[in-house]
């Protein structure tokens, strides 16, 4: 099976999909320390699972083992394949040395990953005074090309937001055009498509650019990625989760309820019925927010309408911006075939991701959001300290590629390899 390098790896959503499809990870490069721990924990779990030793993982989740004790149960080389570096000109030489050691003379078949998307996103540009012009993240594709020049993989898969197609440099040139030209100069033919996760079994409206490069001169090589007919609604995400209210829940293992449907199994979110979960812990909310949440859910339930911020009673309006982001309070409607796009902003507040059950009256938990991203329930999101962190988990989940979409891309690519 092909091996691959994951750069700008995040918490590993893209990588999880490629591992599922049969690819072998050589290394993951990620600057966020918490995400690196998440990657290490997942790699350790995968190794233990392959060797029928997952009891150590359960003991870790129960806090019977420290993180270091848990890591000691997996091969040291595996954990050292997670490289905690910012990808920069200053670090490239050292990163390449580490990768070369891990390759041990073997060629690299594939590079996957996409630079942080905030610099290209429409929302990011709208919120930035300079429209993100000059932001150093705009130019990370140049460093991406350095990996292509050094390793010449047969393919690379580059993921980013659709705003990439319209983002311009200070000289008015599209970054996407510059990017494609640079990748071609590195010896690659380039093809791309705009894929929406909702068309591939993910219960989320998440549209992204998936660019694939193939070394040499090629045409019409983009793999056919079959779409999946969706017969489910977002309700599937919540069906077997114990109901909790704002401020309630647990970071640790909790039991799930009986699940009598198929989606969570089909999407590989659940492996078995009554499988315990982690990170099903809800934020506490102010009395004002809870009152707004009720109004949002009631309006959807009764009229199938989204609430505009300006429609709130004046006593509930505490923000000065009445011109934009008027949908800042939004329910994740359980009766729709897909949710709104999961974004990293959920780490700051949960107003855009309100639970549809008015009795619970809260925003979503990290586990619920992870399910919208099709992360398996046994995927654990780490913090730097080792103490569970809802905010850190939200940030990692919001930045990730949906696992199921990644698997579909990986499988399709393998068929034309």
């Amino acid at each position: 099976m092909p091996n691959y390098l994951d750069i700008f790896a995040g918490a590993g959503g893209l990588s999880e999909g490629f591992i599922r499809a049969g690819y072998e990870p050589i290394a993951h490069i990620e600057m966020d320390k918490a995400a690196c721990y998440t990657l290490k924990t997942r790699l350790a779990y995968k190794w233990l699972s392959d060797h029928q030793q997952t009891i150590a993982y359960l003991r870790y989740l129960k806090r019977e083992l420290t993180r270091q004790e848990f890591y000691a149960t997996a091969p040291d080389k595996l954990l050292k394949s997670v490289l905690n570096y910012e990808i920069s000109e200053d670090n490239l030489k050292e990163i390449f040395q580490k990768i070369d050691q891990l390759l041990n003379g073997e060629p690299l078949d594939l590079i996957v990953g996409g630079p942080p998307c905030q610099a290209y996103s429409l929302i990011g540009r709208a919120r930035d005074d300079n429209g993100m012009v000059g932001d150093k993240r705009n130019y990370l594709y140049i460093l991406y090309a350095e990996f292509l020049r050094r390793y010449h993989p047969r393919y690379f898969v580059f993921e980013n937001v659709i705003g990439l197609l319209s983002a311009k440099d200070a000289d008015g040139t599209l970054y996407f055009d510059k990017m494609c030209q640079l990748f071609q100069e590195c010896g690659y033919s380039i093809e791309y498509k705009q894929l929406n996760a909702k068309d591939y079994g993910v219960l989320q409206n998440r549209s992204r650019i998936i660019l694939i490069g193939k070394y040499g001169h090629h045409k019409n090589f983009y793999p056919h990625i079959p779409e999946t007919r969706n017969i489910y609604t977002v309700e599937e995400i919540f069906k077997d989760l114990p109901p909790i209210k704002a401020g309630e829940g647990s970071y640790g293992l909790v039991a799930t309820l009986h699940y009598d449907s198929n989606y969570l199994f089909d999407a590989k979110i659940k492996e078995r019925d009554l499988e315990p979960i982690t990170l099903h812990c809800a934020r506490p909310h102010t009395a004002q927010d809870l009152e707004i949440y009720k109004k949002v859910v009631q309006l959807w339930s009764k009229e199938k309408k989204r609430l505009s911020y300006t429609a709130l009673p004046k006593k509930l309006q505490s923000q000065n911006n009445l011109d934009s982001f008027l949908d800042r309070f939004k329910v994740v409607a359980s009766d729709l075939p897909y949710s709104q796009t999961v974004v990293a902003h959920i780490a700051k507040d949960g107003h855009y991701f309100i639970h549809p059950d008015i009795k619970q009256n809260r925003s979503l938990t990290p586990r619920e959001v992870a399910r919208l991203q099709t992360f398996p329930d046994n995927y654990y999101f780490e913090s730097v300290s080792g103490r569970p962190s809802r905010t850190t988990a939200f940030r990692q989940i919001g930045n990730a590629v949906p696992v199921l979409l990644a698997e579909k891309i990986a499988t399709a690519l393998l068929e034309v390899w």
Side-chain angles (χ1 to χ4, degrees):
M1 283 295 191
N3 64 29
Y4 72 95
L5 168 67
D6 189 356
I7 61 179
F8 309 105
L14 187 60
S15 191
E16 180 77 6
F18 275 81
I19 290 173
R20 275 188 190 173
Y23 296 72
E24 179 189 355
I26 294 297
H28 297 80
I29 307 170
E30 171 54 39
M31 67 179 291
D32 182 83
K33 196 169 185 178
C36 284
Y37 281 123
T38 296
L39 290 165
K40 288 181 179 182
T41 295
R42 188 60 183 174
L43 288 171
Y45 164 78
K46 287 281 191 182
W47 188 89
L48 291 168
S49 180
D50 289 343
H51 292 80
Q52 291 79 48
Q53 297 177 26
T54 52
I55 187 67
Y57 186 58
L58 289 174
R59 290 188 64 201
Y60 173 58
L61 296 180
K62 291 177 181 177
R63 294 296 177 255
E64 295 173 3
L65 296 178
T66 66
R67 189 156 64 190
Q68 288 312 116
E69 288 171 336
F70 169 60
Y71 286 171
T73 64
D76 189 51
K77 180 182 177 182
L78 192 68
L79 302 178
K80 286 183 176 178
S81 70
V82 177
L83 307 178
N84 183 201
Y85 286 93
E86 178 182 2
I87 295 178
S88 66
E89 290 184 3
D90 292 339
N91 290 334
L92 273 184
K93 182 179 179 180
E94 190 171 343
I95 292 171
F96 288 157
Q97 288 175 345
K98 297 278 188 181
I99 295 169
D100 292 347
Q101 290 171 6
L102 291 164
L103 282 168
N104 194 27
E106 292 294 317
L108 182 66
D109 299 320
L110 172 71
I111 291 177
V112 304
C117 66
Q118 291 88 345
Y120 303 125
S121 75
L122 300 176
I123 293 177
R125 280 184 271 157
R127 286 178 170 163
D128 185 76
D129 291 340
N130 298 316
M132 303 304 283
V133 172
D135 189 293
K136 69 177 183 179
R137 290 172 295 183
N138 287 326
Y139 307 100
L140 288 173
Y141 70 89
I142 298 174
L143 297 175
Y144 194 113
E146 291 302 312
F147 287 85
L148 300 179
R149 284 196 176 102
R150 184 173 182 89
Y151 295 107
H152 298 295
R154 184 173 185 181
Y155 286 99
F156 73 89
V157 178
F158 183 100
E159 178 268 349
N160 222 285
V161 294
I162 57 174
L164 173 61
L165 298 178
S166 59
K168 294 182 179 180
D169 204 346
D171 62 3
T173 307
L174 291 169
Y175 287 112
F176 188 69
D177 289 347
K178 289 185 174 183
M179 187 181 300
C180 289
Q181 181 179 344
L182 179 58
F183 292 158
Q184 288 166 349
E185 289 172 0
C186 293
Y188 287 84
S189 300
I190 305 297
E191 294 183 354
Y192 72 94
K193 289 184 179 180
Q194 184 174 322
L195 304 182
N196 195 316
K198 70 180 178 61
D199 298 324
Y200 300 92
V202 181
L203 302 184
Q204 180 192 165
N205 181 28
R206 189 184 191 89
S207 189
R208 291 292 186 267
I209 296 300
I210 305 296
L211 183 151
I212 297 179
K214 185 175 183 180
Y215 194 62
H217 298 286
H218 306 277
K219 290 184 178 179
N220 302 317
F221 60 86
Y222 203 97
H224 172 63
I225 309 171
E227 294 187 0
T228 303
R229 187 174 72 90
N230 180 29
I231 60 173
Y232 300 102
T233 63
V234 176
E235 180 187 11
E236 298 297 324
I237 295 298
F238 306 112
K239 275 185 175 179
D240 66 329
L241 297 179
I244 56 175
K245 295 184 178 180
E248 295 180 349
S250 173
Y251 289 101
L253 284 169
V254 296
T256 54
L257 309 175
H258 171 59
Y259 181 67
D260 59 0
S261 188
N262 294 317
Y263 173 75
L264 294 178
F265 296 117
D266 293 345
K268 302 177 186 175
I269 293 171
K270 286 177 73 77
E271 289 186 353
R272 64 184 189 278
D273 195 22
L274 304 178
E275 184 180 9
I277 54 167
T278 58
L279 297 169
H280 188 46
C281 46
R283 275 190 174 96
H285 297 291
T286 66
Q288 176 175 308
D289 285 343
L290 291 175
E291 190 172 348
I292 294 173
Y293 287 9
K294 284 185 177 180
K295 291 183 180 298
V296 170
V297 175
Q298 286 171 341
L299 183 61
W300 180 261
S301 298
K302 292 178 180 178
E303 303 181 37
K304 304 302 176 194
K305 291 182 179 178
R306 300 294 192 182
L307 185 140
S308 172
Y309 189 75
T310 54
L312 285 169
K314 293 295 182 183
K315 67 176 183 177
L316 296 178
Q317 294 184 23
S318 57
Q319 300 181 33
N320 295 325
N321 183 359
L322 300 180
D323 298 320
S324 59
F325 305 113
L326 298 182
D327 64 344
R328 65 192 69 169
F329 289 92
K330 195 168 186 176
V331 62
V332 177
S334 60
D335 53 353
L336 291 180
Y338 48 81
S339 75
Q340 56 268 41
T341 304
V342 172
V343 293
H345 184 81
I346 195 173
K348 297 182 179 179
D349 65 62
H351 302 333
Y352 200 69
F353 301 94
I354 301 169
H355 195 284
D357 181 4
I358 199 167
K359 293 180 181 178
Q360 297 188 52
N361 194 26
R362 58 174 176 82
S363 58
L364 299 192
T365 67
R367 182 52 56 195
E368 289 163 339
V369 180
R371 283 182 163 194
L372 287 174
Q373 289 276 58
T374 57
F375 278 101
D377 280 347
N378 54 29
Y379 209 107
Y380 187 72
F381 299 91
E382 295 277 6
S383 68
V384 174
S385 67
R387 294 186 298 272
S389 168
R390 187 170 43 230
T391 299
T392 303
F394 275 137
R395 185 180 70 248
Q396 294 177 56
I397 297 165
N399 281 326
V401 177
V403 174
L404 191 54
L405 174 61
E407 183 182 9
K408 297 289 181 68
I409 295 167
T411 300
L413 185 60
L414 200 57
E415 290 176 355
V416 298
W417 196 270

